[in-house]
Structures are given as C-alpha cells and as structure tokens.
Amino acid sequence: MSVRILYFASLRERLGKREEILDLPEGLGTVEELIVWLASEGREALREVPSLRFAVNQEMARASDPVLDGDEVAFFPPVTGG
Amino acid sequence: MPVRVQLEDFDLSAEVAALRAADPRIGAVAAFIGLVREVNAGSQVSGMFLEHYPGMTEKALMAIIAEARARWALFDALVIHRVGPLRPTDPIVLVAVTSAHRGEAFAACEFIMDALKTRAPFWKREETPAGHRWVDARAGDAEAAARWSGESDPGPKA
C-alpha cells in the first residue's frame, strides 16, 4: 500500500524533506509500526524527537491507530503556536 | 470563515466591527492578541518564523471554535493566526468572540487560546544570537488547556 508522509518543523529540517510518498511493506498496520519501519529506513530522526506527535488524514492520532492505503500521515514535534 | 491563517497583519478594529455586524443582541466582545516578544527562554529574539500544516491547522481551529460554541452561548467567534516571518512586537494571533454577557465571552476567548496552544499545528522557529532554534512546547500550556476538561462552570455572568 502507498501512503503520503509529511514532516514538519524540526523534524522536516533534520530529515531534509517535507513529504514523500512511500510503498509500505506487507503487514504494516499501525502508526507505531510505520514509525519503526521508517526509522529502520534511514529516518532515525523520528526516534529522536521528544514527544513525537502524529496525525492521520489531518486528525491527531495515537500510535495504535491504523494506517490504510492512501492515507496522509504527518509527523511533528509538539505544537508551539499562539 | 471564522478561521484565517495568513501572512499579513490584521486590523483589530475592522475585525471586531465585522464580527459584531451591529447585532443588538451582543452585549460583550472579548478579544485577545498574542505578540512576538523580544526575549524568550533567556535569549534575545531578533525574529521568528511560523510554520503550519495547511489543511489540518484550519480544521483544528474550526474544531476548537465548535467546542467553544457548544460550551458557551456565543454569537460568533474568530481566530486569525499569522504564519511566515515575524519580528518582535508583531501581532501573531487574534481570538475574538461575541456573546450576550462578559462571562461567556471571557471564558470562551481564554478556552480557544489555551486549546490553540496545545492542539493547533503551528511551530515557531526563533532567530537568536546563537542561531535559529525551534521553540519547545511549555508544560504550562498543557496545564492551561487541561484546566478546561471536566470543568462545567461557564464563568461569572455579566
């Protein structure tokens, strides 16, 4: 399956990219599993952001939430607006 | 559209006038403006850059306004948040709400701001003498937002 991955703020800078579309291996079903796989594929910075936050299809998500074909998954540090 | 994310500055008077629209039911307007400070976390800040997540940011702000409207008797609510390069003294954010009485207006305005600080996807990068740094989330912001969960008192009535 294919998902669109977005990175923001310090994570975007550390990875040197703001988005990528990736074909995920079989059996990858949750945000947590996606993070483990991405970290093993050269995106270790995901593991180094304190209190990493994520959103699936533009809604805040939990690590156990599912990732499905065509989803937009975003990773970012805690928000600091206002 | 009660939510705007924009590069440009905003005009408080014009925004409040549009929000009121001469509606005679309105007895209270509460507005908050957040500004860029010249000192943060012990460092001189010469400028900052605000990044957001187009699409999700607007949705998150709309959801926060919907929660405020479900909780307090508001006539209207507005959030304008700037992005891009900003300098000390620049306005960053405007929250304005209208209601019949001040209690609802004050409470809803503060709630929207507290929720925005912890739930709306914006990130600040500051320019300091030591180079640029991404601002860390403050524990106090999470505590301020948590105050509103489980609390049902809408505040004093005008």
Side-chain angles (χ1 to χ4, degrees):
Chain A
M1 67 176 179
S2 167
V3 296
R4 183 170 178 226
I5 315 239
L6 305 179
Y7 307 106
F8 290 96
S10 55
L11 190 57
R12 170 180 57 72
E13 279 192 347
R14 288 169 77 163
L15 290 170
K17 63 181 96 182
R18 62 178 68 239
E19 80 171 83
E20 52 189 339
I21 292 171
L22 294 175
D23 284 314
L24 307 186
E26 292 275 321
L28 205 154
T30 65
V31 174
E32 187 159 28
E33 289 162 4
L34 175 59
I35 293 169
V36 170
W37 181 73
L38 286 168
S40 74
E41 292 285 315
R43 288 116 180 132
E44 296 86 0
L46 280 168
R47 284 274 184 222
E48 293 153 12
V49 174
S51 308
L52 179 72
R53 300 288 199 266
F54 22 86
V56 175
N57 298 326
Q58 304 192 354
E59 299 277 352
M60 293 300 291
R62 287 174 304 227
S64 58
D65 283 348
V67 176
L68 304 171
D69 186 40
D71 278 352
E72 175 177 301
V73 184
F75 295 100
F76 42 82
V79 303
T80 56
Chain B
M1 180 73 169
V3 163
R4 284 174 8 228
V5 178
Q6 62 187 42
L7 283 161
E8 305 77 33
D9 197 0
F10 47 78
D11 178 339
L12 173 66
S13 301
E15 297 300 340
V16 168
L19 198 66
R20 290 175 57 192
D23 183 340
R25 298 171 304 166
I26 294 172
V29 177
F32 170 85
I33 295 179
L35 307 170
V36 181
R37 286 191 313 272
E38 68 170 0
V39 173
N40 188 38
S43 293
Q44 200 71 25
V45 175
S46 57
M48 78 164 48
F49 188 89
L50 258 148
E51 179 170 333
H52 77 301
Y53 180 172
M56 181 175 170
T57 303
E58 291 82 355
K59 277 189 206 175
L61 293 173
M62 292 291 283
I64 291 167
I65 287 179
E67 277 179 47
R69 298 189 69 132
R71 195 159 171 165
W72 292 282
L74 306 179
F75 293 118
D76 216 342
L78 169 72
V79 175
I80 301 176
H81 203 298
R82 295 178 69 191
V83 291
L86 294 167
R87 308 192 65 76
T89 75
D90 281 347
I92 305 177
V93 60
L94 168 66
V95 175
V97 302
T98 58
S99 64
H101 303 289
R102 73 178 185 281
E104 283 91 344
F106 276 133
C109 189
E110 191 170 18
F111 165 81
I112 291 170
M113 200 52 220
D114 285 348
L116 181 158
K117 294 285 277 188
T118 54
R119 287 159 53 189
F122 292 100
W123 300 273
K124 288 184 183 127
R125 194 189 66 198
E126 292 175 339
E127 309 301 329
T128 73
H132 82 239
R133 67 177 184 198
W134 290 92
V135 174
D136 285 328
R138 295 166 56 230
D141 289 337
E143 288 157 16
R147 285 183 303 144
W148 299 98
S149 43
E151 184 210 320
S152 58
D153 179 8
K157 295 286 188 292

